[in-house]
Amino acid sequence: MTTTNEKENCPADSVALGRAAWTLLHTTAAYYPDRPAPSQMDSMRLFMSTFADNYPCFKDFKQYMAEEPVRVGSRKKLSEWLCKQHNKVNEKLGKPSFDCKLVLDRWLQGSLKECNQ
C-alpha cells in the first residue's frame, strides 16, 4: 500500500526517510541490552555516530549528539536519550513531542492503545 508521498519504485521523500530512520533507531534502542557489555556500548556509540554521518537529513541530530553524547549504559538510558533527541528534532519541525516515559511502551512492548487496535 502506498501513500501520496510514497510511490512504489520511487525514491523516498524526506518524510518517508525520516520516519524510516526514526523507526530503525528507536527499535534498535528498544532491543538494546539492559546490561550491555563494553563491546556493545562501543558498538552502539559507533553505530549512532556513523548513522548520523551517513544518513541524509540527520545534520541536526549529529549536532545534538555533540552537545549530549549518546547514553549507552542500558536499554532505558539509550531509549530515553534517543527520545529526547527525537523531540529536539520534532520541536524544530513544529511537531508535537513524545512523552519519553512511554518510549519502551511504544517501541518494545507495543502496549499503547493504537498498537492494540
Side-chain angles (χ1 to χ4, degrees):
M1 179 176 167
T2 59
T3 66
T4 55
N5 291 330
E6 300 174 355
K7 295 184 177 143
E8 195 172 332
N9 299 319
C10 294
D13 63 12
S14 61
V15 172
L17 280 173
R19 186 174 296 123
W22 288 117
T23 297
L24 172 67
L25 294 175
H26 284 295
T27 303
T28 300
Y31 285 90
Y32 186 70
D34 286 324
R35 294 184 184 135
S39 62
Q40 290 171 306
M41 290 188 277
D42 290 343
S43 177
M44 183 55 73
R45 279 188 204 96
L46 182 60
F47 172 75
M48 288 291 183
S49 176
T50 56
F51 188 86
D53 283 343
N54 292 289
Y55 201 80
C57 308
F58 265 65
K59 182 176 148 186
D60 290 332
F61 183 72
K62 186 171 173 72
Q63 179 183 340
Y64 300 148
M65 284 181 62
E67 294 167 3
E68 185 180 344
V70 61
R71 297 185 65 207
V72 295
S74 69
R75 172 185 299 160
K76 182 178 179 187
K77 287 179 183 180
L78 178 60
S79 293
E80 288 177 352
W81 173 86
L82 185 61
C83 181
K84 185 176 176 182
Q85 306 318 306
H86 192 167
N87 279 338
K88 288 178 185 178
V89 173
N90 283 344
E91 182 179 328
K92 183 176 180 177
L93 296 174
K95 295 181 177 183
S97 292
F98 185 81
D99 182 351
C100 292
K101 289 180 255 171
L102 302 174
V103 72
L104 290 176
D105 285 342
R106 166 64 177 93
W107 296 102
L108 182 63
Q109 290 128 352
S111 59
L112 296 178
K113 185 177 181 179
E114 60 266 17
C115 296
N116 296 324
Q117 295 178 357

